[in-house]
Protein backbone atom coordinates (compact mmCIF):
# COMPACT_ATOMS: atom_id res chain seq x y z
CA UNK A 1 0.00 0.00 0.00
CA UNK A 2 1.11 3.54 -0.48
CA UNK A 3 1.10 6.01 2.38
CA UNK A 4 -1.72 8.02 0.80
CA UNK A 5 -4.11 5.08 0.63
CA UNK A 6 -5.26 3.11 3.68
CA UNK A 7 -5.30 -0.67 3.30
CA UNK A 8 -8.35 -2.29 1.77
CA UNK A 9 -10.40 -4.15 4.39
CA UNK A 10 -11.38 -6.75 1.80
CA UNK A 11 -9.12 -9.77 2.20
CA UNK A 12 -7.23 -8.15 5.06
CA UNK A 13 -5.30 -11.39 5.58
CA UNK A 14 -2.98 -10.35 2.71
CA UNK A 15 -2.06 -7.07 4.41
CA UNK A 16 1.62 -6.35 4.86
CA UNK A 17 3.14 -5.20 8.15
CA UNK A 18 2.90 -1.63 6.82
CA UNK A 19 -0.80 -2.09 5.99
CA UNK A 20 -1.45 -3.30 9.53
CA UNK A 21 0.34 -0.22 10.85
CA UNK A 22 -1.85 2.11 8.81
CA UNK A 23 -4.95 0.25 9.99
CA UNK A 24 -3.82 0.60 13.61
CA UNK A 25 -3.64 4.36 13.04
CA UNK A 26 -7.18 4.34 11.63
CA UNK A 27 -8.61 2.55 14.68
CA UNK A 28 -6.75 4.79 17.14
CA UNK A 29 -4.20 2.15 18.15
CA UNK A 30 -1.31 3.80 16.34
CA UNK A 31 0.83 3.69 19.48
CA UNK A 32 1.29 -0.05 18.77
CA UNK A 33 2.40 0.45 15.17
CA UNK A 34 6.14 0.10 15.84
CA UNK A 35 5.88 -2.90 18.18
CA UNK A 36 3.59 -4.70 15.72
CA UNK A 37 6.12 -4.00 12.98
CA UNK A 38 8.99 -5.29 15.14
CA UNK A 39 7.01 -8.48 15.81
CA UNK A 40 6.10 -8.96 12.14
CA UNK A 41 2.34 -8.72 12.66
CA UNK A 42 0.79 -8.85 9.20
CA UNK A 43 -2.71 -9.64 7.95
CA UNK A 44 -2.14 -13.37 7.98
CA UNK A 45 -1.12 -13.16 11.64
CA UNK A 46 -4.23 -11.10 12.47
CA UNK A 47 -6.43 -13.64 10.68
CA UNK A 48 -4.90 -16.44 12.75
CA UNK A 49 -5.55 -14.66 16.04
CA UNK A 50 -9.09 -16.04 16.09
CA UNK A 51 -7.57 -19.49 16.64
CA UNK A 52 -5.30 -18.40 19.52
CA UNK A 53 -5.45 -20.21 22.82
CA UNK A 54 -5.64 -18.20 26.03
CA UNK A 55 -1.92 -18.73 26.54
CA UNK A 56 -1.13 -17.43 23.05
CA UNK A 57 -3.34 -14.38 23.60
CA UNK A 58 -1.56 -13.57 26.86
CA UNK A 59 1.84 -14.04 25.19
CA UNK A 60 0.83 -11.70 22.36
CA UNK A 61 -0.42 -9.04 24.80
CA UNK A 62 2.82 -9.22 26.81
CA UNK A 63 5.03 -9.18 23.72
CA UNK A 64 3.25 -6.13 22.30
CA UNK A 65 2.86 -4.42 25.70
CA UNK A 66 -0.87 -4.00 25.06
CA UNK A 67 -3.47 -2.86 27.52
CA UNK A 68 -6.48 -5.17 27.87
CA UNK A 69 -8.85 -2.48 26.62
CA UNK A 70 -6.72 -1.94 23.53
CA UNK A 71 -6.62 -5.68 22.86
CA UNK A 72 -10.41 -5.80 23.08
CA UNK A 73 -10.64 -2.85 20.67
CA UNK A 74 -8.29 -4.67 18.28
CA UNK A 75 -10.47 -7.81 18.40
CA UNK A 76 -13.69 -5.84 17.89
CA UNK A 77 -12.25 -4.05 14.87
CA UNK A 78 -11.00 -7.33 13.38
CA UNK A 79 -14.45 -8.83 13.83
CA UNK A 80 -16.07 -5.78 12.23
CA UNK A 81 -13.86 -6.14 9.17
CA UNK A 82 -14.46 -9.90 8.91
CA UNK A 83 -18.23 -9.50 9.13
CA UNK A 84 -18.26 -6.67 6.58
CA UNK A 85 -16.18 -8.76 4.18
CA UNK A 86 -18.41 -11.80 4.55
CA UNK A 87 -21.58 -9.80 4.12
CA UNK A 88 -20.17 -8.26 0.97
CA UNK A 89 -20.31 -4.74 2.39
CA UNK A 90 -16.76 -3.91 1.33
CA UNK A 91 -16.28 -2.37 -2.07
CA UNK A 92 -14.22 -4.62 -4.31
CA UNK A 93 -11.38 -2.74 -5.98
CA UNK A 94 -8.31 -3.79 -7.82
CA UNK A 95 -5.17 -4.06 -5.69
CA UNK A 96 -3.01 -0.94 -5.67
CA UNK A 97 -0.14 -2.85 -7.27
CA UNK A 98 -2.13 -4.28 -10.20
CA UNK A 99 -2.19 -2.63 -13.63
CA UNK A 100 -5.51 -0.96 -14.45
CA UNK A 101 -6.01 -3.24 -17.47
CA UNK A 102 -6.58 -6.13 -15.02
CA UNK A 103 -9.24 -4.35 -12.89
CA UNK A 104 -12.16 -6.44 -14.13
CA UNK A 105 -10.24 -9.66 -13.54
CA UNK A 106 -9.35 -8.77 -9.93
CA UNK A 107 -12.88 -7.66 -9.09
CA UNK A 108 -14.35 -10.91 -10.42
CA UNK A 109 -11.83 -13.06 -8.55
CA UNK A 110 -12.35 -11.10 -5.31
CA UNK A 111 -16.13 -11.49 -5.55
CA UNK A 112 -15.80 -15.21 -6.27
CA UNK A 113 -13.40 -15.66 -3.33
CA UNK A 114 -15.75 -13.77 -1.04
CA UNK A 115 -18.71 -15.90 -2.12
CA UNK A 116 -16.78 -19.13 -1.53
CA UNK A 117 -15.82 -17.97 1.99
CA UNK A 118 -19.47 -17.16 2.80
CA UNK A 119 -20.64 -20.53 1.50
CA UNK A 120 -17.97 -22.46 3.42
CA UNK A 121 -18.91 -20.65 6.66
CA UNK A 122 -22.58 -21.52 6.17
CA UNK A 123 -21.67 -25.20 5.66
CA UNK A 124 -19.56 -25.49 8.83
CA UNK A 125 -21.37 -27.15 11.76
Amino acid sequence: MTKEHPPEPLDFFIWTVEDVGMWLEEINLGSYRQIFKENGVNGEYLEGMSMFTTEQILRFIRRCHMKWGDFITLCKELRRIKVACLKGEQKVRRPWWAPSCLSIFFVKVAKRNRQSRVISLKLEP
Side-chain angles (χ1 to χ4, degrees), residues 4-39:
E4 307 88 53
H5 303 299
E8 293 292 331
L10 179 64
D11 296 331
F12 72 94
F13 49 87
I14 63 171
W15 285 355
T16 64
V17 172
E18 291 78 21
D19 294 335
V20 170
M22 286 189 284
W23 175 70
L24 288 171
E25 296 286 345
E26 285 185 6
I27 63 170
N28 298 318
L29 294 177
S31 60
Y32 297 104
R33 188 174 187 158
Q34 185 60 36
I35 194 79
F36 273 48
K37 184 176 183 176
E38 291 169 6
N39 284 284

Side-chain angles (χ1 to χ4, degrees), residues 61-106:
I61 290 171
R62 278 193 303 266
R63 188 172 61 231
C64 293
H65 309 288
M66 288 192 87
K67 297 176 185 171
W68 273 107
D70 291 342
F71 180 75
I72 290 168
T73 299
L74 178 76
C75 292
K76 284 181 180 178
E77 290 295 323
L78 279 172
R79 178 168 169 70
R80 184 185 60 76
I81 287 176
K82 287 181 181 182
V83 168
C85 288
L86 292 173
K87 286 183 174 180
E89 295 171 352
Q90 298 294 331
K91 183 178 176 184
V92 178
R93 291 184 261 180
R94 94 181 142 81
W96 64 271
W97 46 263
S100 59
C101 62
L102 296 176
S103 291
I104 293 172
F105 170 76
F106 280 108

